[in-house]
Amino acid sequence: MIHSLFLINSSGDIFLEKHWKSVVSRSVCDYFFEAQERATEAENVPPVIPTPHHYLLSVYRHKIFFVAVIQTEVPPLFVIEFLHRVVDTFQDYFGVCSEPVIKDNVVVVYEVLEEMLDNGFPLATESNILKELIKPPTILRTVVNTITGSTNVGDQLPTGQLSVVPWRRTGVKYTNNEAYFDVIEEIDAIIDKSGSTITAEIQGVIDACVKLTGMPDLTLSFMNPRLLDDVSFHPCVRFKRWESERILSFIPPDGNFRLLSYHVSAQNLVAIPVYVKHNISFRDSSSLGRFEITVGPKQTMGKTIEGVTVTSQMPKGVLNMSLTPSQGTHTFDPVTKMLSWDVGKINPQKPPNLKGTMSLQAGASKPDENPTINLQFKIQQLAISGLKVNRLDMYGEKYKPFKGIKYMTKAGKFQVRT
Amino acid sequence: MTDSKYFTTTKKGEIFELKAELNSDKKEKKKEAVKKVIASMTVGKDVSALFPDVVNCMQTDNLELKKLVYLYLMNYAKSQPDMAIMAVNTFVKDCEDPNPLIRALAVRTMGCIRVDKITEYLCEPLRKCLKDEDPYVRKTAAVCVAKLHDINAQLVEDQGFLDTLKDLISDSNPMVVANAVAALSEIAESHPSSNLLDLNPQSINKLLTALNECTEWGQIFILDCLANYTPKDDREAQSICERVTPRLSHANSAVVLSAVKVLMKFMEMLSKDLDYYGTLLKKLAPPLVTLLSAEPELQYVALRNINLIVQKRPEILKHEMKVFFVKYNDPIYVKLEKLDIMIRLASQANIAQVLAELKEYATEVDVDFVRKAVRAIGRCAIKVEQSAERCVSTLLDLIQTKVNYVVQEAIVVIKDIFRKYPNKYESVIATLCENLDSLDEPEARAAMIWIVGEYAERIDNADELLESFLEGFHDESTQVQLQLLTGIVKLFLKKPTETQELVQQVLSLATQDSDNPDLRDRGYIYWRLLSTDPVAAKEVVLAEKPLISEETDLIEPTLLDELICYIGTLASVYHKPPSAFVEGGRGVVHKSLPPRTASSESAESPETAPAGAPPGEQPDVIPAQGDLLGDLLNLDLGPPVSGPPLTTSSVQMGAVDLLGGGLDSLMGDEPEGIGGTNFVAPPTAAVPASLGAPIGSGLSDLFDLTSGVGTLSGSYVAPKAVWLPAMKAKGLEISGTFTRQVGSISMDLQLTNKALQVMTDFAIQFNRNSFGLAPAAPLQVHAPLSPNQTVEISLPLSTVGSVMKMEPLNNLQVAVKNNIDVFYFSTLYPLHILFVEDGKMDRQMFLATWKDIPNENEAQFQIRDCPLNAEAASSKLQSSNIFTVAKRNVEGQDMLYQSLKLTNGIWVLAELRIQPGNPSCTLSLKCRAPEVSQHVYQAYETILKN
């Protein structure tokens, strides 16, 4: 099971260590540093590193490496999932997860880690249980604690811990009962040179914010549940009911949670809402290259595409670029060779365009690789897969809650090859 | 007001100040001080000096303070064992606290204090907590048993905690069940033999019920535990699968992968015709695809596992090629894995897409990735014949880019394409030759040389090209040197007139100026071949090479099956069985997939099943034959005394089928195609495998001429003994003995048919044994054995089989099959059949080795009733390959110093003391592997007395 945890910042300092079994010397991280050195970028550090006596499993988030040390055969996914859960918990507790914040709250962090794992076995990882055991720091509480000497450690056994619904505590009370659901879809796609789609898939999630009194039992049904054949549920969802009736039936956790994530990969279901026209050419003889990109709407179901940004890693040989956008702002970093263009909204009548020249290293041969264009965008009030919620019902409680559903489509890893 | 204030220090010395604060009267100050201590601890500062002061704060009602002190204790108790005892009382008291949170906290912390002395005090409170009314306390206590076991395993067993833990599997609370399973699994890992997780249909049922209700982490433990269970038939397997399938939709990827493991394993038992089988296959694809949209670290582990799954059951993901397409900002470790899987999934249907992608990748920035992409194109060509042409032209395009590493990779893979499709794409050779100068990596150089040598007759200036490589011969890597040697010899055989000088040059470079034994030996072999019989040389060197197999890097099937059982574990990430890398290899149990069994009804009538099932009916995976056979042998023939005839159970029937099929396939199997280039002499199959005469004899004659080592007669042969009496083998009597003659071992068998029916279809198989003895040729009984007929067979043996230490060491378990049944017997072989001909050590070496081997490895034996003189003994022993290195006469006694070597390279040194007139002599043996001494002594005794 998980032996120890080290938090390492990007400059290679261990700024926190926690051991759940005997203490493992931090020199074990030397193997990690070696791997880090070999990998050119932080993202490329391999997640599993063997050392003579231990294994180091790591995740990299918020510019921090979370390195778990294990000694025996443990399912690596279990460890990695747990590490991500740790990060999520920190984020949940402190708003952001960063080195200074962790240092500022080191005692709470330590107490939380201790509650999450016992002898390497996960103990309490549900955020609402943790928050009952160790109260998250708030300014008010800090002040109160200082004055009254009370603590932020709960002394009662959290009720959810043992119930059949460990994700929900009892005795929840709200004056305004509300339940909001966000259907968010991200399009991952690779578009080739000629503009045809190589792969396209939708990663969808339904995130919920539920603030309901008591023990509500909710059902959520869809207009077109057939879209969802590859789904992962929050543990609260009753699987049997889904299998037989295609209805989501659940007692929700209190607060924010991810109800469900799904995956639509059938290509005919994935509409590509934007097109990118590009003309990037290097010439062998000249030290100038031409560059032009145009972004326009394709299948948007009448909605506006907004928040568009275009980024592209230009080849090393490109020294500088002189470009003029028809709208928005652009930057080119001559050190990292990263071009980014903040387009904003797309006006279908006047597709945004970025045009100009690139100056190349004199005398160098024409670059081998073609830059790939990365696209970000947002479309409000649209789930690109066409998924629609039919109705949301509540049982088990008498009051009438306020309900809301929001749809949004975003670009995930949306890449256009040139 | 944040915790970072705890990091600030004052001038006076931190520890001193903290000490003062810890002993303050004010509660608030105390707590702040403890927080400071904890803060220092988190960054790795040593604050163990404050131990007594912190422990003093332990007795408090303030839960936060208590927790903080506990945190401190866990870290430092080990360094202050005596002080830690002070804390015991508080723990014991807290274990009685009315608040379950405090009881659980106490028992949890106590387990973490890894101090031997404390463990005794821990037992009573732990026992109470294991039976606590509150499930939260019980589940915490369950984990505590695992902790305690880690500190003091004996204590846990003595106190009966293991039984209590087993009882908790039936607990009413699923969380408790999950933790009990987790704890037991952890304990079982360090005790592979103990049957802790004794799974039976009842307990499985309980686990499956708990599975639906416990936390995600608990589900992982339960699923991993389920994977170790072997259902009794396909129905049970199916019902478990049905109950596990919903886990595939879990948000936690570890749960998903553990569920995949259970399903992949149990699927093995399901018949492929079943509707359910198809449904299950369909259900497996979406969750695996979903794993690929998770964080990159999770993707990596998932991809490594998918790699295994795709090899085992390619049908699951065959339509999902596109999800493995690489995104340019994937981390490199994900890219490389995706590429691997793309090649595995490549088929005629999707090859166009794949090639277009690969070509795209070959222009990326990352060198490692580009190389692998180029290599992948070559692999596609080999895998999908229809695409070969397109692949070659793609590779040529890439060569035109002149990017150095792309060119080199392309040449390496083109070499493989030539081997797969000879005489098809040689037109590209000219283009390849253009790039000769830019090759600086050994693999590419070797590949190029191979191509030039292989197609020397089509390349006009082949001799010049090869000569240009020869200039820097000594600076080349071994790979290139070997290739150059072979290439030039090939060239010579094809164009003998112009290249005589060149071949002389390379042969002398290889044999005289090189200190690499491989190179030298290959050089000598060529030289001798060329000088004795150039025609034969041509046949050998230019022999038609076997085509290379489709996929060169597939995991070997038995290993793959074992790894499938380890899906989701580190083993699956490394593609190695845990025994290969887990710390200390604590006797990890090998797992194998369950054999496909028929439903119980049909299994009950084993007589109707044919002895050697046709290969079609066999499961396409043979689960580790050796193991199965070994188990059966142990079970049924452990005591080789007479007993009831072999019981017929369904398990055994499985073994019969497997054995039959396995034997057939073994006999029919040609050696696998060999990847890369190689220049082996004609395969062994070409050597006439005449039965009676041992294969080796012809060869060793040859060696006799050249090396001058003459062995006159074979070693001592014991008379044949009855190994398998007729009454135990349905009328087949087998007697036999072992012989060693001029370097080859054989098993001389006499088969007698004492039954009333004709016997045919004989085959033989050995279980793994200490020295890897295995039949070198199939057992060939040419004519059917009619009743009362006896046939004598000499079965040549090799020592290259798989090795497993047996008890006793020279035990050999044999299975013989005929048309009636399969029979098992075990026999002891005399060790001297393993003494090799070059077992003579030189004097100096002998002395040095004798001194070098520690004295505790020396064993002394008396050989009685052996009235031989030193001369006679020495010559007698010599004929059995025990060589006298030196002889001395000390105080009237003859001392013979002797050496012998076993087939596996173990040297045994002996001192034989013979007193003239005294019929008994003394034998002292020294060997680095002392366990063989006893058997060497027995060999001495047999040889000397006969």
Side-chain angles (χ1 to χ4, degrees), chain A residues 185-342:
Chain A
E185 296 192 338
E186 291 193 358
I187 308 176
D188 286 354
I190 304 179
I191 312 289
D192 78 357
K193 278 189 195 56
S194 60
S196 50
T197 309
I198 294 180
T199 68
E201 51 189 20
I202 296 171
Q203 312 289 350
V205 295
I206 299 183
D207 281 343
C209 174
V210 175
K211 292 182 174 166
L212 297 173
T213 308
M215 271 286 170
D217 198 330
L218 303 179
T219 57
L220 188 72
S221 62
F222 298 97
M223 308 276 263
N224 39 7
R226 282 205 181 168
L227 278 173
L228 306 176
D229 67 335
D230 180 4
V231 281
S232 317
F233 295 119
H234 187 276
C236 68
V237 176
R238 298 183 179 100
F239 190 73
K240 283 243 166 70
R241 191 87 193 268
W242 171 257
E243 282 275 86
S244 56
E245 300 168 54
R246 297 276 142 173
I247 283 175
L248 293 178
S249 152
F250 55 98
I251 295 174
D254 186 36
N256 295 314
F257 65 100
R258 175 155 297 172
L259 178 64
L260 137 105
S261 54
Y262 58 94
H263 183 97
V264 180
S265 57
Q267 207 140 103
N268 47 1
L269 291 174
V270 185
I272 303 293
V274 288
Y275 71 82
V276 178
K277 269 196 207 147
H278 49 83
N279 180 11
I280 302 172
S281 59
F282 306 102
R283 260 166 302 167
D284 260 335
S285 49
S286 134
S287 61
L288 278 182
R290 266 197 301 178
F291 184 97
E292 180 174 1
I293 315 181
T294 310
V295 191
K298 212 170 161 186
Q299 298 161 280
T300 59
M301 335 266 165
K303 307 275 196 246
T304 323
I305 305 173
E306 35 182 42
V308 181
T309 50
V310 175
T311 49
S312 180
Q313 172 77 53
M314 302 306 288
K316 283 202 194 77
V318 177
L319 289 182
N320 215 335
M321 305 182 83
S322 110
L323 305 168
T324 338
S326 69
Q327 71 178 71
T329 52
H330 81 282
T331 53
F332 175 72
D333 183 339
V335 182
T336 59
K337 314 288 181 200
M338 187 63 86
L339 169 74
S340 84
W341 175 27
D342 190 351

Side-chain angles (χ1 to χ4, degrees), chain B residues 555-604:
Chain B
I555 296 176
E556 184 223 335
T558 42
L559 177 61
L560 179 62
D561 283 354
E562 189 177 354
L563 289 176
I564 289 288
C565 303
Y566 288 108
I567 284 177
T569 66
L570 278 174
S572 68
V573 174
Y574 289 110
H575 291 184
K576 285 181 198 157
S579 49
F581 64 90
V582 166
E583 177 86 329
R586 291 184 289 191
V588 186
V589 191
H590 283 271
K591 294 184 186 174
S592 59
L593 288 175
R596 185 165 298 158
T597 56
S599 284
S600 42
E601 304 94 293
S602 62
E604 272 155 19

